[in-house]
Amino acid sequence: MPRFLSGCLMLLALAATAPQDSFELRARYGDPDVERFAIRPDVTMTAAYAPDGKASELIIEPRQHFLRPSFTPGPTMEKEAAMDLLNEVMPETRGKYKGPGAAMQDGCGAIGFMFYKNISVSVGLDACASPNRVRSIGVRPKLPTATLPYTSAELHALYGSPDVETFVVRPDIRLTAEYGPDGQACAMRIQSVHDLTYPLDAPAAPVEEVMAALDAIVPPQVRGKEIGPGEQIWGACVGAAFPAEYENVTISSPDWMCDPHSKVRGVDIQFKRPTCEAFQPRRVPASR
């Protein structure tokens, strides 16, 4: 078969199916600009990359599923263990922690800041639970134009393949995929491009663009037979067009993306393969 014909058939195949693993998503959308790695069995590190390919931000936190109600408190880890991981990832902090240099608190949530020669570190705490428990550690360069000394290839060499990747599928639309044990996506979120640390501040994206991206990523033939409105996902907004149940997927709206005018500003997709059962969000019976 001529090479150009083989290439055309491959493109047609990609267009007709849902890209569900890292290889297929990279073939369609290029390299991800965010990756999450398991640096311990129960701890992950998320890296966002600058245009030069180097990390612009790192977030260390206890393992949790990417798709979850945004206001649900996440797990915590011992502060001493968290600081050991920080020292491992960023050796310039080793032995220099003497407590937060500044702090902000809002209710039970608190953030302590530490400043080093080249980086700033934010430590997310739960002041109501325990001062010795940490929800997350964020690392950024002190200068806004600087980057951290890691590339995607270096992080792959250290920690293996990521279990979460984020791709820019349109200039203002981002797709995040969380992979299951079989390497295929178990959960996806389509939303507007936003800051990694502050996803709640994601700007609204036109509904037409979100839905066009949804149709390209999970076309009707991949969703399977439409079953009906399904059960409401716990925490989901009232009045949104979703959730919608299909034979192979559930499509719903993130709880913090609801808008009374445009109905929904993003969509979540959960795949129903047996290996994805642990990724399903908690649900409540739908009101009929």
Side-chain angles (χ1 to χ4, degrees), residues 2-279:
R3 181 176 300 179
F4 77 91
L5 181 57
S6 175
C8 290
L9 291 175
M10 181 176 294
L11 289 174
L12 288 172
L14 283 173
T17 61
Q20 292 183 21
D21 62 25
S22 179
F23 174 80
E24 293 169 342
L25 287 168
R26 287 168 182 260
R28 181 174 290 190
Y29 300 116
D31 291 334
D33 65 349
V34 175
E35 296 177 304
R36 191 182 79 173
F37 301 87
I39 61 175
R40 294 289 188 276
D42 57 348
V43 180
T44 62
M45 183 173 73
T46 303
Y49 301 109
D52 66 359
K54 292 186 177 180
S56 59
E57 182 177 3
L58 302 173
I59 297 179
I60 300 169
E61 58 189 349
R63 174 176 287 282
Q64 54 190 319
H65 288 307
F66 169 74
L67 296 189
R68 61 189 185 277
S70 58
F71 51 82
T72 302
T76 61
M77 52 185 169
E78 290 287 345
K79 183 184 290 186
E80 183 177 353
M83 298 311 299
D84 286 343
L85 288 171
L86 174 65
N87 294 339
E88 175 186 308
V89 173
M90 301 301 299
E92 76 170 81
T93 65
R94 195 179 304 278
K96 298 179 181 179
Y97 177 64
K98 295 181 174 61
M104 296 190 307
Q105 185 166 344
D106 181 9
C108 290
I111 302 177
F113 296 93
M114 302 176 290
F115 302 98
Y116 299 89
K117 180 179 180 181
N118 298 310
I119 62 172
S120 63
V121 175
S122 60
V123 181
L125 306 168
D126 188 336
C128 299
S130 170
N132 295 315
R133 304 291 296 182
V134 170
R135 293 203 181 279
S136 65
I137 293 181
V139 181
R140 283 185 167 186
K142 288 177 72 173
L143 298 176
T145 57
T147 53
L148 301 171
Y150 285 109
T151 64
S152 174
E154 291 168 336
L155 290 174
H156 278 246
L158 288 170
Y159 302 116
S161 298
D163 66 344
V164 173
E165 294 179 317
T166 296
F167 302 84
V168 176
V169 301
R170 291 170 176 243
D172 57 351
I173 299 293
R174 169 176 280 171
L175 165 69
T176 299
E178 182 172 9
Y179 305 113
D182 58 359
Q184 300 286 306
C186 278
M188 290 180 169
R189 173 169 289 168
I190 301 169
Q191 65 188 97
S192 55
V193 174
H194 64 278
D195 185 278
L196 180 63
T197 305
Y198 305 105
L200 298 184
D201 294 335
V207 173
E208 294 79 8
E209 290 195 27
V210 172
M211 300 311 292
L214 173 65
D215 288 338
I217 294 164
V218 189
Q221 63 268 30
V222 172
R223 302 175 203 177
K225 180 182 177 182
E226 183 173 357
I227 298 172
E231 297 175 323
Q232 181 177 330
I233 293 175
W234 183 82
C237 64
V238 177
F242 300 119
E245 291 284 354
Y246 294 86
E247 183 181 8
N248 301 319
V249 299
T250 299
I251 299 175
S252 59
S253 57
D255 58 280
W256 47 271
M257 284 186 170
C258 304
D259 185 294
H261 302 292
S262 60
K263 292 288 187 179
V264 64
R265 293 188 294 172
V267 291
D268 287 347
I269 305 105
Q270 286 90 24
F271 293 87
K272 294 183 176 181
R273 300 190 314 278
T275 54
C276 296
E277 288 184 3
F279 294 77

